Amino acid sequence: MAAIGISLFIAAGFPARQTVAQQATASTAETLARLSTTVAEQYPSARALVLARGNCIVHEYYASNPPDAQWPVHSVTKSVLSILVGIAIDKGLLRLDQKLPELVAEATEGTIDPRAADITLRDLLTMSSGFAPHQMAEVSGVWNSSVWMIGRTVTHPPGTHFDYDNEGTNLIAIILRRAVGGNIAEFAKNQLFAPLRIDHYQWAVDGNGNLPGFSGLRLTGRDMAKIGLLYLQQGRWRERQVVSQAWVLDSTRKHSDGGEPANAAYGYLWWSKQIGDGSPAYFAAGFQSQLILNLPDRNLVIALASASSLPGGVAKFINEVALPAEAALPAEAACVGRLDQ
């Protein structure tokens, strides 16, 4: 953002004293200009950065990119999938305690590890299914189906051991597609993206009509922030309750200690961890520093898209660059845009 110029007039040889409002405006402009300069010079891979206090966008940075450019958000896709599962649960189409044989007919086949019968949807969402996370199951002619994903060895009792498991989220997406009647892309559009006016996104189904659950979604920086705001508002968007407050609170609370790659506690495909100053936070995170971070106590959403991992890591950037800049802004800092428009 370009610095805002302040006109001064000369009286009796001295500059006029600035009003409090003028001083605040100048301070705000300087803070935001420094933030943009720091990002451009020290974090050149950053593609988009959005800081929003609730619905009020106080700063946007896009380098030389157009604001409506869509970026791959990688594993942030998982957290968006969690929202869709929550909507399906709200509608009575799924239950957290449903076990695999009820959710996936193939789970009853004799070749499946019998211990998989005790895995619930909740276990998949908390990444504690017990499946060997990196095992390749041999299924002739099949590479992307529930048969492949459930044909793995169960190495831990379900619900007891966290393992970051991409294939488990692909299985969730298949379960969701079947629960909503087959057209998962239309379900995602009608139940989530359209209400939030997220029009510029990409999330292509595969040859079997499934959305990839582990990755694959592309969003603009501002639309990433919209996802954060939906949860900051506990599932409500304008006059519509898109997903229940109960799901927002349950999906973002700690269900396990979690672990790699974010080194944070884990909910239902959302991470949670205190930030540097001790404030509670939850977030969606993706490869190469993609981030949607919510700080409920500060009514703050930070969305970040990057072409590669930020130097020193995204946590360092948030704690040492983004949050201090936001904290330096006055409470009445002007909005440069609104997320619900």
Side-chain angles (χ1 to χ4, degrees), residues 109-255:
E109 295 181 3
T111 57
I112 303 303
D113 188 323
R115 293 169 292 185
D118 291 327
I119 296 172
T120 65
L121 178 59
R122 179 185 281 106
D123 296 332
L124 292 169
L125 288 164
T126 56
M127 298 234 184
S128 59
S129 67
F131 278 130
H134 305 298
Q135 183 183 15
M136 300 290 287
E138 294 294 336
V139 181
S140 178
V142 177
W143 67 274
N144 190 22
S145 75
S146 56
V147 176
W148 186 91
M149 297 164 198
I150 66 175
R152 297 179 287 167
T153 304
V154 177
T155 56
H156 298 280
T160 65
H161 184 83
F162 175 87
D163 261 316
Y164 194 71
D165 181 17
N166 283 327
E167 294 310 327
T169 54
N170 288 335
L171 179 55
I172 293 170
I174 289 172
I175 289 168
L176 179 62
R177 178 181 65 81
R178 295 182 181 185
V180 303
N183 197 331
I184 188 173
E186 282 299 307
F187 182 82
K189 176 182 177 181
N190 295 334
Q191 301 298 325
L192 178 60
F193 296 126
L196 271 58
R197 298 184 181 179
I198 295 178
D199 302 317
H200 302 290
Y201 72 95
Q202 297 177 40
W203 195 4
V205 298
D206 65 16
N208 296 319
N210 299 309
L211 288 174
F214 80 106
S215 186
L217 181 61
R218 297 173 68 95
L219 293 169
T220 69
R222 185 174 285 200
D223 288 343
M224 292 173 71
K226 286 184 177 183
I227 297 295
L229 178 61
L230 174 69
Y231 262 43
L232 200 64
Q233 296 177 158
Q234 300 193 346
R236 191 163 188 84
W237 194 264
R238 291 191 169 185
E239 70 283 352
R240 177 172 175 173
Q241 192 74 37
V242 174
V243 63
S244 66
Q245 178 187 44
W247 180 259
V248 172
L249 296 176
D250 198 24
S251 63
T252 57
R253 72 178 178 89
K254 175 182 174 180
H255 287 273

Side-chain angles (χ1 to χ4, degrees), residues 2-170:
I4 300 173
I6 303 293
S7 297
L8 300 178
F9 63 90
I10 304 299
F14 296 96
R17 182 179 303 229
Q18 291 181 330
T19 66
V20 172
Q22 286 174 322
Q23 291 171 352
T25 300
S27 176
T28 298
E30 291 166 1
T31 297
L32 296 178
R34 283 196 301 271
L35 174 57
S36 292
T37 298
T38 298
V39 175
E41 293 180 351
Q42 300 181 26
Y43 302 92
S45 66
R47 290 165 160 167
L49 174 66
V50 180
L51 307 182
R53 291 171 169 171
N55 185 38
C56 172
I57 302 171
V58 294
H59 186 59
E60 291 179 299
Y61 170 85
Y62 297 106
S64 58
N65 307 301
D68 60 353
Q70 303 156 26
W71 306 112
V73 298
H74 301 301
S75 286
V76 169
T77 304
K78 295 179 174 71
S79 302
V80 175
L81 177 64
S82 175
I83 301 174
L84 295 175
V85 171
I87 294 171
I89 288 175
D90 292 341
K91 294 180 178 296
L93 301 174
L94 287 169
R95 301 189 320 274
L96 284 170
D97 61 355
Q98 284 179 286
K99 295 184 178 182
L100 276 188
E102 184 180 353
L103 296 166
V104 183
E106 296 89 338
T108 60
E109 295 181 3
T111 57
I112 303 303
D113 188 323
R115 293 169 292 185
D118 291 327
I119 296 172
T120 65
L121 178 59
R122 179 185 281 106
D123 296 332
L124 292 169
L125 288 164
T126 56
M127 298 234 184
S128 59
S129 67
F131 278 130
H134 305 298
Q135 183 183 15
M136 300 290 287
E138 294 294 336
V139 181
S140 178
V142 177
W143 67 274
N144 190 22
S145 75
S146 56
V147 176
W148 186 91
M149 297 164 198
I150 66 175
R152 297 179 287 167
T153 304
V154 177
T155 56
H156 298 280
T160 65
H161 184 83
F162 175 87
D163 261 316
Y164 194 71
D165 181 17
N166 283 327
E167 294 310 327
T169 54
N170 288 335

Side-chain angles (χ1 to χ4, degrees), residues 255-321:
H255 287 273
S256 79
D257 290 335
E260 296 288 349
N263 294 311
Y266 209 65
Y268 299 151
L269 306 183
W270 286 85
W271 300 92
S272 66
K273 187 176 185 178
Q274 291 183 336
I275 60 170
D277 67 0
S279 299
Y282 58 87
F283 58 96
F287 179 60
Q288 295 183 326
S289 297
Q290 320 311 316
L291 182 71
I292 300 173
L293 173 68
N294 276 11
L295 285 81
D297 290 355
R298 294 169 63 166
N299 194 34
L300 180 64
V301 178
I302 300 177
L304 172 69
S306 182
S308 60
S309 298
L310 299 187
V314 70
K316 180 177 185 291
F317 171 77
I318 292 297
N319 285 316
E320 297 183 10
V321 179

